[in-house]
Amino acid sequence: YDCAILIRLRKETAEKVGEVARARDEHISDFVRRAILRELARLGFLNEQGSKALGLPIEEGTMKASD
């Protein structure tokens, strides 16, 4: 990866993210990257193949980047 983004979270949120990542045996960064990609896909900013790769259903009427 060639870009880093610093974000601020409430302590409780950061703890929950860490807890879930540990339970999935993954790094927090991987969890956050996937969450961001899933939201971009949900909003229509990823192509259909990218959305399917994330396990998201392809639905009619979702917001597209051009909307």
Side-chain angles (χ1 to χ4, degrees), residues 2 7 12 15 22-23 29 31-32 36 38 40 42-43 45-48 50 58 60-61 63-64:
D2 59 354
I7 62 170
E12 299 81 18
E15 289 171 349
R22 281 188 300 280
S29 294
F31 178 85
V32 172
I36 290 169
R38 288 179 65 92
L40 288 172
R42 188 185 71 79
L43 292 171
F45 286 95
L46 295 185
N47 63 27
E48 185 174 327
I58 307 304
E60 295 289 324
M63 180 187 283
K64 299 292 180 203

Side-chain angles (χ1 to χ4, degrees), residues 6 10-11 15 19 21-23 27-28 30-31 33 38 45 49 56 59:
L6 175 67
R10 293 179 186 264
K11 182 178 179 182
E15 289 171 349
E19 180 182 324
R22 281 188 300 280
H27 293 278
I28 292 172
D30 294 329
F31 178 85
R33 276 192 287 271
R38 288 179 65 92
F45 286 95
Q49 183 178 5
L56 297 176
E59 299 178 11

